[in-house]
Amino acid sequence: MSAAFTDLHPSWQAALGRELDQPYVRKLAGFVAAQRETEQVFPPAEEVFAAFEHTPFEQVRVLILGQDPYHDDGQAHGLAFSVRRGVKIPPSLRNIYKELRADLGVEPPAHGELTAWAERGVMLLNTVLTVRAHAANSHRKNGWETFTDKVIEVLAARAEPLVFVLWGKPAQKKIPLIEAAHANGHALVTAAHPSPLSANAGFLGSKPFSAVNAALVRWGQAPIDWSLPD
């Protein structure tokens, strides 16, 4: 296993097993390390696997799939759609909050940090886990997608059902991956991406949060508390 991947939560190391010994993982770790030597890379090295740390494998009840990390200063901290406290809330997250209020009547906080969701079993996973500062998509097609596809596969192969929240066409391209890994009754919650470019074309009004909770209750599980502390 590459040294960079030893930061993964032990439950995820066990779940991913020999995948972490694949040559592409070593190549990916080397690429990111080389980028950090000459460029500013987000998120900081110690937060690349924050989604795995906050939501251990056995505790995942919901997976919200993002794409590329935020690429401006101080934003990315390892959780999809989330930003650190004190950082301006990005437009996509503002739309997520708008829909949360409309769907469940939950008043959003004045910050954009979603760690509380992650600690309640909502894994906030990007398909690419690093990015060069101010250069969107700059670390795509270097191995992260292969790794996160495997993460999706091992989750889909679990005996316990979970809810996959797939916003936008890139996320929805993972549906065959989920279905191929295990057709055991996972719930899929799909809608347009919350980006301002598409939010009015199918995200706003989609009621994803109540759909997630309805699936969990149907399985005899407790619903997610979607409120966020100030």
Side-chain angles (χ1 to χ4, degrees), residues 74-190:
Q75 290 182 308
H77 67 117
L79 301 178
F81 295 106
S82 180
V83 292
R84 303 172 187 275
R85 287 172 182 259
V87 174
K88 184 180 179 181
I89 300 173
S92 290
L93 183 53
R94 286 198 177 278
N95 283 329
I96 290 171
Y97 281 174
K98 184 176 180 180
E99 181 61 17
L100 177 62
R101 182 191 289 116
D103 186 5
L104 296 179
V106 173
E107 289 298 322
H111 62 79
E113 186 180 320
L114 305 179
T115 303
W117 288 359
E119 292 177 345
R120 295 171 191 158
V122 181
M123 188 177 192
L124 300 166
L125 179 69
N126 281 318
T127 53
V128 176
L129 300 188
T130 56
V131 66
R132 191 167 69 248
H134 318 302
N137 304 322
S138 51
H139 284 188
R140 284 190 176 179
K141 299 183 179 179
N142 283 285
W144 279 128
E145 295 92 337
T146 304
F147 173 72
T148 53
D149 276 359
K150 187 64 177 181
V151 171
I152 293 168
E153 284 182 7
V154 299
L155 282 171
R158 277 191 350 187
E160 306 84 3
L162 64 146
V163 186
F164 291 88
V165 179
L166 307 171
W167 290 327
K169 290 181 180 178
Q172 289 159 23
K173 287 180 180 178
K174 305 300 182 182
I175 291 175
L177 190 68
I178 295 164
E179 293 178 340
H182 203 322
N184 70 341
H186 295 307
L188 301 176
V189 174
T190 62

Side-chain angles (χ1 to χ4, degrees), residues 2-27:
S2 167
F5 282 73
T6 58
D7 291 340
L8 265 178
H9 190 278
S11 70
W12 281 102
Q13 292 187 31
L16 292 163
R18 297 182 65 181
E19 186 74 11
L20 300 176
D21 297 322
Q22 296 298 314
Y24 85 86
V25 171
R26 292 192 293 273
K27 185 177 179 181

